[in-house]
Amino acid sequence: MGTTKKRGNGEGTIFKREINGKTFWVTEYTIAMYDEKTGKRKRKTIYGKTRQEVKNKLEKIITDLNTDSYVDKSKVKFKDLTKEFIDNGYKLNQLSDSSYVRKLNTYNQICTHYMADMEIQKISEDDLKDFLIYITKYSNSVIGKIYGVVNNTFKRAVRKNIIKCNFLDDKMEFCKPKSNRKDKNVHGFTIDEQKKFINAIINDTSYKYHYQFLLSLYTGMRMGEINALDKDLDIDFDNKIIHVRRTLTKNTEDKTVMGSYTKTKNGIRDIVMDEQVEFILKEYINKEYQPNTENLLFFNVKKNTYYTTGQINMVFKRFCEHYNIGKGYDVNQHMLRHTFATRCIEAGMPANVLSKIMGHADIRTTLEIYCDVFDNYEKQHSNRTYDYLNKNNLLLSQINDDNIPSEELDKIVNNIKKMYLKKDDKLIKILKLIA
């Protein structure tokens, strides 16, 4: 086909090749990375009009490889790499069905922006900035999920030598944006609302799920965890413990199924069964519990199905609307869990203890969710400290310029009181002078 010239050091051979009637200089070079599809090392074919052009291109590739700055040409779209990353996580059992569905929802939100359809190598800083501005329309929690998926996609592209660097590594220039929306304040019932709710539950048992409501209110358990409790394995009356091992969740078809574990790793926990919770459980078992094929504490025996959080939430809404509790229909059964946490904080429970009871993955989650409640708690205790110092005459404002001892000052005050009661003329004159 033409003259060939071998090159040393494994750099390949430069030779002539005829393509569509035209002659080009060509070389092939084995890149020290593997093709994910074939499992073999990648080979790079370099074309040029002259031998020198091919030689220059080859030397540049070798230099880039030796300095870890080589980027393989690729036309992969951003959304395709994102979807592949999510699907692989699901196939490797790193994502549960419900987590996979949530990731796909995040993926769909990413795909509403033009950047998702771009080849990842062509995405510029301006494109990414436009994307980050675009997602400020979502809530902060949704933005956090989107930002995390986008960051992982860029990381994967760097690892696959598709791009040189991840823009999001620059936290100054490409930090996680904040939402244009105001964060919804997490809140539970006030003490008065909780009393009203309890009285309504006691006096009206016509509504379903009132025992699930009470368990959430007095343990802080998630509704999915409550409906996944095994009557014999998880309810330990002897040791006064509730074992939280799993939760009901949704599969990829949006059907409620039994999960093999809880929402988070820290969700697997033991909850102490106090007298109130023990009373609720025993009353339910004695009055309403029905044996079932799953041996669950709560199970729809008539339909032979699990109780879903959605259907329980609808009854909770109607119940609060009927009895005018809180915001009526505009409530969510999850606020029972928040009510439990609020009462715990008001009672003086430390954040690390509450975090464990609630099954949060990180204490920071507890502090972020209930920051307003903790702030109010701190203010109350600051006021109590001030009152204590004031009662014991330990405040600077109580120490005057004359440094009058507290005992002597008390005598003066008592004498003034006596003079006032006797309507002493001297005191009246003094008061007129300083009035």
Side-chain angles (χ1 to χ4, degrees), residues 239-341:
N239 296 300
K240 311 295 184 187
I241 288 174
I242 298 175
H243 303 292
V244 183
R245 301 178 295 115
R246 55 190 182 173
T247 185
L248 293 182
T249 185
K250 294 287 187 73
N251 63 11
T252 55
E253 297 174 355
D254 202 36
K255 182 181 178 181
T256 298
V257 295
M258 180 62 72
S260 56
Y261 43 81
T262 53
K263 183 179 178 182
T264 65
K265 182 179 178 181
N266 288 46
I268 300 173
R269 63 201 187 278
D270 287 341
I271 294 177
V272 176
M273 186 191 303
D274 60 25
E275 291 183 7
Q276 177 67 69
V277 175
E278 183 179 8
F279 171 79
I280 294 169
L281 288 169
K282 286 185 174 179
E283 183 177 81
Y284 166 73
I285 291 172
N286 291 332
K287 289 184 177 181
E288 293 193 15
Y289 170 75
Q290 290 180 293
N292 55 82
T293 54
E294 301 279 339
N295 201 45
L296 294 178
L297 188 64
F298 300 100
F299 189 76
N300 192 333
V301 176
K302 288 184 179 179
K303 296 183 179 181
N304 196 36
T305 59
Y306 301 117
Y307 286 123
T308 69
T309 299
Q311 67 190 89
I312 292 175
N313 190 48
M314 290 304 297
V315 173
F316 179 77
K317 284 174 170 288
R318 289 196 294 268
F319 183 85
C320 290
E321 180 182 40
H322 179 76
Y323 286 99
N324 193 27
I325 300 171
K327 295 182 179 180
Y329 192 81
D330 190 22
V331 293
N332 187 295
Q333 57 80 27
H334 205 63
M335 71 184 301
L336 294 170
R337 176 172 158 86
H338 295 318
T339 301
F340 169 81

Side-chain angles (χ1 to χ4, degrees), residues 377-388:
Y377 172 74
E378 288 176 4
K379 288 176 183 177
Q380 290 175 8
H381 276 260
S382 294
N383 291 335
R384 290 176 187 174
T385 302
Y386 180 88
D387 292 340
Y388 176 79

Side-chain angles (χ1 to χ4, degrees), residues 412-428:
I412 294 172
V413 172
N414 289 330
N415 287 333
I416 292 174
K417 286 181 180 178
K418 290 176 182 178
M419 291 173 71
Y420 178 78
L421 292 172
K422 291 179 179 180
K423 296 182 180 180
D424 191 295
D425 292 337
K426 292 180 180 179
L427 179 62
I428 292 172

Side-chain angles (χ1 to χ4, degrees), residues 135-251:
I135 63 174
T136 58
K137 67 180 184 177
Y138 297 111
S139 67
N140 281 318
S141 61
V142 172
I143 289 173
K145 293 171 184 175
I146 292 174
Y147 188 86
V149 170
V150 169
N151 190 24
N152 284 331
T153 300
F154 278 122
K155 282 182 178 179
R156 194 161 187 261
V158 171
R159 192 172 66 252
K160 290 167 71 73
N161 286 291
I162 298 174
I163 56 177
K164 289 183 180 180
C165 64
N166 177 6
F167 291 132
L168 298 187
D169 284 341
D170 184 352
K171 299 302 179 186
M172 294 291 290
E173 189 81 15
F174 300 100
C175 62
K176 182 173 65 176
K178 291 186 178 180
S179 174
N180 292 327
R181 304 180 189 178
K182 287 185 178 180
D183 284 335
K184 291 183 178 180
N185 291 327
V186 174
H187 68 278
F189 286 139
T190 64
I191 290 176
D192 288 337
E193 288 171 344
Q194 184 171 346
K195 288 178 180 177
K196 191 174 182 180
F197 179 80
I198 293 170
N199 288 331
I201 286 285
I202 293 172
N203 295 319
D204 186 354
T205 56
S206 62
Y207 282 85
K208 293 181 179 180
Y209 318 126
H210 51 279
Y211 284 105
Q212 283 108 310
F213 294 155
L214 290 173
L215 274 180
S216 183
L217 182 62
Y218 286 103
T219 66
M221 292 171 63
R222 301 176 179 92
M223 195 55 67
E225 295 170 342
I226 291 172
N227 290 325
L229 290 172
D230 185 290
K231 175 181 172 291
D232 299 321
L233 296 177
D234 297 329
I235 308 302
D236 185 352
F237 287 115
D238 292 333
N239 296 300
K240 311 295 184 187
I241 288 174
I242 298 175
H243 303 292
V244 183
R245 301 178 295 115
R246 55 190 182 173
T247 185
L248 293 182
T249 185
K250 294 287 187 73
N251 63 11

Side-chain angles (χ1 to χ4, degrees), residues 66-79:
N66 290 334
T67 57
D68 290 328
S69 57
Y70 173 76
V71 175
D72 192 17
K73 284 188 177 180
S74 172
K75 292 186 177 182
V76 63
K77 291 183 178 180
F78 184 88
K79 67 178 184 181

